[in-house]
Coordinates of all heavy atoms in Angstrom, one line a residue:
M1 N 1.2 -9.0 2.3 CA 0.7 -7.8 2.8 C 0.6 -6.7 1.9 O 1.3 -6.7 0.9 CB 1.7 -7.4 3.9 CG 2.0 -8.3 5.0 SD 0.5 -8.6 6.1 CE 0.6 -7.0 7.0
P2 N -0.4 -5.9 2.1 CA -0.6 -4.7 1.2 C 0.6 -3.6 1.3 O 1.3 -3.7 2.2 CB -1.9 -4.1 1.5 CG -2.1 -4.6 3.0 CD -1.4 -5.8 3.1
V3 N 0.4 -2.7 0.5 CA 1.5 -1.6 0.5 C 1.0 -0.5 1.3 O -0.2 -0.3 1.5 CB 2.0 -1.1 -0.9 CG1 2.6 -2.3 -1.6 CG2 0.9 -0.6 -1.6
T4 N 2.0 0.3 1.8 CA 1.5 1.5 2.6 C 2.3 2.8 1.9 O 3.4 2.6 1.4 CB 2.0 1.4 4.0 OG1 1.4 2.5 4.7 CG2 3.4 1.3 4.2
V5 N 1.6 3.9 1.9 CA 2.1 5.1 1.4 C 2.6 6.1 2.5 O 1.8 6.3 3.4 CB 1.0 5.8 0.5 CG1 1.6 7.1 0.0 CG2 0.6 4.9 -0.6
D6 N 3.9 6.5 2.4 CA 4.4 7.5 3.3 C 3.8 8.9 2.9 O 4.4 9.4 1.8 CB 5.8 7.4 3.4 CG 6.5 8.5 4.3 OD1 5.7 9.4 4.7 OD2 7.7 8.5 4.6
K7 N 2.8 9.4 3.6 CA 2.2 10.7 3.0 C 3.1 11.9 3.1 O 2.9 12.9 2.5 CB 0.9 10.9 3.6 CG -0.1 9.7 3.4 CD -1.6 9.9 3.5 CE -2.3 8.8 3.2 NZ -3.7 9.0 3.0
D8 N 4.1 11.8 3.9 CA 5.0 13.0 4.1 C 6.0 13.0 2.9 O 6.4 14.0 2.6 CB 5.7 12.8 5.4 CG 5.0 13.1 6.6 OD1 4.0 13.7 6.5 OD2 5.3 12.5 7.7
T9 N 6.1 11.8 2.3 CA 7.1 11.7 1.1 C 6.3 11.9 -0.1 O 6.8 12.5 -1.2 CB 7.8 10.3 1.1 OG1 8.5 10.3 2.5 CG2 8.8 10.4 0.1
C10 N 5.0 11.5 -0.3 CA 4.3 11.5 -1.5 C 4.1 12.9 -2.0 O 3.8 13.8 -1.2 CB 2.9 10.9 -1.2 SG 1.7 11.0 -2.6
I11 N 4.4 13.1 -3.3 CA 4.2 14.4 -3.9 C 2.9 14.5 -4.8 O 2.7 15.4 -5.5 CB 5.4 14.8 -4.8 CG1 5.7 13.7 -5.8 CG2 6.6 14.9 -3.9 CD1 6.8 14.1 -7.0
G12 N 2.1 13.4 -4.6 CA 0.9 13.5 -5.4 C 0.9 13.4 -6.8 O 0.0 14.0 -7.6
C13 N 1.9 12.8 -7.4 CA 2.1 12.9 -8.9 C 1.0 11.9 -9.6 O 0.8 12.1 -10.9 CB 3.5 12.4 -9.3 SG 3.7 10.7 -9.0
G14 N 0.5 11.0 -8.9 CA -0.5 10.1 -9.4 C 0.0 9.0 -10.3 O -0.8 8.1 -10.8
A15 N 1.3 8.7 -10.3 CA 1.9 7.7 -11.2 C 1.5 6.3 -10.7 O 1.1 5.4 -11.4 CB 3.4 7.8 -11.2
C16 N 1.5 6.2 -9.4 CA 1.0 4.8 -8.8 C -0.4 4.6 -9.2 O -0.7 3.4 -9.3 CB 1.2 4.9 -7.4 SG 0.3 6.2 -6.4
V17 N -1.2 5.6 -9.2 CA -2.7 5.4 -9.4 C -2.8 4.7 -10.8 O -3.6 3.8 -11.0 CB -3.5 6.7 -9.3 CG1 -4.9 6.5 -9.7 CG2 -3.4 7.2 -7.9
G18 N -2.1 5.2 -11.7 CA -2.2 4.8 -13.1 C -1.7 3.2 -13.4 O -2.0 2.7 -14.2
V19 N -0.8 2.8 -12.6 CA -0.2 1.7 -12.8 C -0.8 0.4 -12.1 O -0.6 -0.7 -12.4 CB 1.4 1.5 -12.6 CG1 2.1 2.5 -13.4 CG2 1.7 1.8 -11.0
C20 N -1.7 0.7 -11.1 CA -2.3 -0.3 -10.2 C -3.2 -1.0 -11.0 O -4.3 -0.5 -11.5 CB -2.9 0.2 -9.0 SG -3.8 -1.0 -7.9
P21 N -3.0 -2.4 -11.2 CA -4.1 -3.2 -12.0 C -5.4 -3.4 -11.5 O -6.3 -3.9 -12.1 CB -3.2 -4.6 -12.2 CG -2.3 -4.6 -11.0 CD -2.0 -3.2 -10.6
V22 N -5.5 -3.2 -10.2 CA -6.8 -3.5 -9.5 C -7.4 -2.1 -8.9 O -8.4 -2.3 -8.1 CB -6.6 -4.6 -8.3 CG1 -6.3 -5.9 -9.0 CG2 -5.7 -4.2 -7.3
S23 N -6.9 -1.0 -9.3 CA -7.3 0.3 -8.8 C -7.4 0.4 -7.3 O -8.5 0.9 -6.8 CB -8.7 0.5 -9.5 OG -8.7 0.5 -10.9
A24 N -6.5 -0.1 -6.7 CA -6.4 0.0 -5.2 C -6.0 1.4 -4.7 O -6.2 1.6 -3.5 CB -5.5 -1.1 -4.7
L25 N -5.3 2.1 -5.6 CA -4.8 3.4 -5.2 C -5.7 4.5 -5.7 O -6.0 4.6 -6.8 CB -3.3 3.6 -5.7 CG -2.3 2.6 -5.1 CD1 -1.1 2.5 -6.0 CD2 -1.9 2.9 -3.7
S26 N -5.8 5.6 -4.9 CA -6.4 6.8 -5.3 C -5.8 8.0 -4.5 O -5.0 7.8 -3.5 CB -7.9 6.7 -5.0 OG -8.1 6.5 -3.7
L27 N -6.0 9.1 -5.1 CA -5.5 10.4 -4.3 C -6.4 10.9 -3.3 O -7.8 11.0 -3.7 CB -5.2 11.5 -5.2 CG -4.0 11.2 -6.3 CD1 -3.7 12.3 -7.2 CD2 -2.8 10.7 -5.6
D28 N -6.2 11.1 -2.1 CA -7.1 11.5 -1.1 C -7.4 13.1 -1.2 O -7.0 13.7 -2.1 CB -6.5 11.1 0.3 CG -5.4 11.8 0.7 OD1 -5.0 12.8 0.1 OD2 -4.7 11.4 1.6
D29 N -8.1 13.5 -0.3 CA -8.5 15.0 -0.2 C -7.3 15.9 -0.2 O -7.4 17.0 -0.7 CB -9.3 15.2 1.1 CG -10.7 14.6 1.0 OD1 -11.1 14.0 -0.2 OD2 -11.4 14.5 2.1
E30 N -6.3 15.4 0.3 CA -5.0 16.3 0.4 C -4.1 16.0 -0.9 O -3.0 16.5 -0.9 CB -4.2 16.0 1.6 CG -5.1 16.3 2.9 CD -4.3 15.9 4.2 OE1 -3.4 15.1 4.2 OE2 -4.6 16.6 5.3
G31 N -4.6 15.2 -1.8 CA -3.7 14.9 -3.1 C -2.7 14.0 -2.9 O -1.7 13.9 -3.6
K32 N -2.8 13.2 -1.8 CA -1.7 12.2 -1.4 C -2.3 10.8 -1.8 O -3.5 10.6 -1.5 CB -1.3 12.2 0.0 CG -0.9 13.6 0.5 CD 0.5 13.9 0.1 CE 1.0 15.3 0.7 NZ 2.4 15.4 0.7
S33 N -1.4 9.9 -2.2 CA -2.0 8.6 -2.7 C -2.4 7.7 -1.3 O -1.8 7.9 -0.3 CB -0.8 7.9 -3.3 OG -1.2 6.5 -3.7
S34 N -3.4 7.0 -1.5 CA -3.9 6.1 -0.4 C -4.2 4.7 -1.0 O -4.7 4.7 -2.1 CB -5.1 6.8 0.1 OG -5.7 6.0 1.1
C35 N -3.9 3.8 -0.3 CA -4.0 2.3 -0.8 C -5.2 1.8 0.0 O -5.4 1.7 1.2 CB -2.8 1.5 -0.4 SG -2.9 -0.2 -0.9
D36 N -6.1 1.1 -0.8 CA -7.2 0.4 -0.1 C -6.7 -1.0 0.0 O -6.5 -1.9 -0.9 CB -8.4 0.4 -1.2 CG -9.6 -0.4 -0.6 OD1 -9.5 -1.1 0.3 OD2 -10.7 -0.2 -1.1
E37 N -6.4 -1.3 1.2 CA -5.7 -2.6 1.7 C -6.5 -3.8 1.3 O -6.0 -4.9 1.2 CB -5.3 -2.6 3.1 CG -4.3 -1.5 3.3 CD -3.8 -1.5 4.7 OE1 -4.3 -2.3 5.5 OE2 -3.0 -0.6 5.1
S38 N -7.9 -3.7 1.2 CA -8.7 -4.8 1.0 C -8.7 -5.2 -0.5 O -9.3 -6.3 -0.9 CB -10.2 -4.5 1.5 OG -10.8 -3.4 0.7
V39 N -8.2 -4.2 -1.4 CA -8.1 -4.4 -2.8 C -6.8 -4.8 -3.3 O -6.6 -5.7 -4.2 CB -8.7 -3.2 -3.6 CG1 -8.6 -3.4 -5.0 CG2 -10.1 -2.9 -3.1
C40 N -5.7 -4.3 -2.6 CA -4.4 -4.5 -3.1 C -4.0 -6.0 -3.1 O -4.2 -6.7 -2.2 CB -3.5 -3.7 -2.1 SG -1.7 -4.0 -2.4
I41 N -3.3 -6.4 -4.2 CA -2.9 -7.7 -4.5 C -1.3 -7.8 -4.3 O -0.8 -8.8 -4.6 CB -3.3 -8.3 -5.8 CG1 -2.8 -7.5 -7.0 CG2 -4.8 -8.5 -5.7 CD1 -3.1 -8.1 -8.3
T42 N -0.7 -6.8 -3.9 CA 0.6 -6.6 -3.6 C 1.5 -7.1 -4.7 O 2.5 -8.0 -4.7 CB 1.1 -7.7 -2.3 OG1 0.0 -7.5 -1.4 CG2 2.3 -7.3 -1.8
C43 N 1.1 -6.6 -6.0 CA 2.0 -6.9 -7.1 C 3.2 -6.0 -7.2 O 4.2 -6.4 -7.9 CB 1.1 -6.5 -8.4 SG 0.8 -4.8 -8.7
L44 N 3.3 -4.9 -6.4 CA 4.4 -4.1 -6.2 C 4.7 -3.2 -7.4 O 5.7 -2.6 -7.5 CB 5.7 -4.9 -5.7 CG 5.4 -5.6 -4.5 CD1 6.8 -6.3 -4.0 CD2 4.9 -4.8 -3.4
S45 N 3.8 -3.1 -8.4 CA 4.0 -2.3 -9.6 C 4.2 -0.8 -9.1 O 5.0 -0.1 -9.6 CB 2.8 -2.3 -10.5 OG 2.7 -3.7 -11.0
C46 N 3.3 -0.4 -8.2 CA 3.4 1.0 -7.7 C 4.6 1.4 -6.9 O 5.1 2.5 -7.1 CB 2.2 1.2 -6.7 SG 2.1 0.1 -5.3
V47 N 5.3 0.3 -6.3 CA 6.5 0.7 -5.7 C 7.6 1.2 -6.7 O 8.3 2.1 -6.4 CB 7.0 -0.6 -4.8 CG1 8.4 -0.4 -4.2 CG2 6.0 -1.0 -3.8
G48 N 7.6 0.4 -7.8 CA 8.6 0.8 -8.8 C 8.4 2.1 -9.6 O 9.1 2.8 -10.1
A49 N 7.0 2.3 -9.5 CA 6.6 3.5 -10.3 C 6.7 4.8 -9.5 O 6.7 6.0 -10.2 CB 5.1 3.4 -10.7
C50 N 6.8 4.8 -8.3 CA 6.9 6.0 -7.5 C 8.3 6.7 -7.7 O 9.3 6.2 -7.3 CB 6.6 5.7 -6.0 SG 6.5 7.2 -5.0
P51 N 8.3 8.0 -8.1 CA 9.6 8.6 -8.1 C 10.3 9.0 -7.0 O 11.6 9.4 -7.1 CB 9.1 9.9 -9.2 CG 7.8 10.2 -8.8 CD 7.1 8.8 -8.5
V52 N 9.6 9.0 -5.9 CA 10.2 9.4 -4.6 C 10.2 8.3 -3.5 O 10.5 8.5 -2.4 CB 9.4 10.7 -4.0 CG1 9.6 12.0 -5.0 CG2 7.9 10.5 -3.9
S53 N 10.0 7.1 -4.0 CA 10.0 6.0 -3.2 C 9.0 6.1 -2.0 O 9.5 5.8 -0.8 CB 11.4 5.7 -2.8 OG 12.2 5.4 -3.9
A54 N 7.9 6.6 -2.2 CA 7.0 6.8 -1.0 C 6.3 5.6 -0.6 O 5.6 5.5 0.4 CB 6.0 7.9 -1.3
I55 N 6.2 4.4 -1.5 CA 5.4 3.3 -1.3 C 6.2 2.2 -0.8 O 7.3 1.9 -1.5 CB 4.6 2.9 -2.5 CG1 3.9 4.2 -3.0 CG2 3.6 1.8 -2.2 CD1 3.1 3.8 -4.3
S56 N 5.9 1.4 0.1 CA 6.7 0.3 0.6 C 5.7 -0.8 1.0 O 4.5 -0.6 1.4 CB 7.6 0.7 1.7 OG 6.9 1.2 2.8
E57 N 6.2 -2.0 1.1 CA 5.5 -3.2 1.6 C 5.3 -3.1 3.1 O 6.2 -2.7 3.7 CB 6.0 -4.4 1.1 CG 5.1 -5.7 1.0 CD 5.8 -6.9 0.5 OE1 6.9 -6.8 -0.1 OE2 5.3 -7.9 0.6
K58 N 4.2 -3.4 3.6 CA 4.0 -3.3 4.9 C 4.8 -4.3 5.7 O 4.9 -5.4 5.3 CB 2.4 -3.4 5.3 CG 1.7 -2.1 5.5 CD 0.4 -2.3 6.1 CE -0.2 -1.0 6.5 NZ -1.5 -1.3 7.1
Ligands
SF4_1 S1 1.0 -3.4 -4.9 FE1 0.1 -3.6 -6.9 S2 -2.1 -4.0 -6.4 FE2 -1.2 -3.0 -4.5 S3 -1.7 -0.9 -4.7 FE3 0.5 -1.4 -5.6 S4 0.0 -1.5 -7.9 FE4 -2.0 -1.8 -6.8
SF4_2 S1 3.7 7.6 -7.4 FE1 4.6 8.1 -5.3 S2 4.6 10.4 -5.2 FE2 3.3 9.8 -6.9 S3 1.1 9.8 -6.1 FE3 2.0 7.7 -5.8 S4 3.0 7.5 -3.9 FE4 2.7 9.8 -4.3

């Protein structure tokens, strides 16, 4: 399963965007991280990179 971002917790630091090997993550119009579920390979690199634990496996 792909990962999901808790947008209430995300502080928009962009760390997850930089570590994703398949560029599945991007910052949306509100500056919050968003995951393209059709691209995510569930490597979980972003889960460890997030300083506020906003990303989790679905
Ligand atoms: S789990 Fe891996 S592939 Fe999926 S969004 Fe996070 S870093 Fe990218
Ligand atoms: S690393 Fe966490 S806080 Fe930073 S943009 Fe990604 S989800 Fe948001």
Side-chain angles (χ1 to χ4, degrees):
M1 298 295 284
V3 294
T4 186
V5 179
D6 179 351
K7 300 204 179 196
D8 289 334
T9 304
C10 173
I11 57 172
C13 71
C16 56
V17 177
V19 299
C20 181
V22 293
S23 301
L25 295 163
S26 58
L27 297 183
D28 65 17
D29 292 345
E30 297 179 335
K32 307 282 183 159
S33 179
S34 180
C35 178
D36 183 341
E37 298 182 358
S38 67
V39 176
C40 175
I41 57 171
T42 318
C43 71
L44 303 184
S45 295
C46 57
V47 174
C50 181
V52 293
S53 301
I55 310 175
S56 56
E57 201 172 350
K58 266 195 168 178

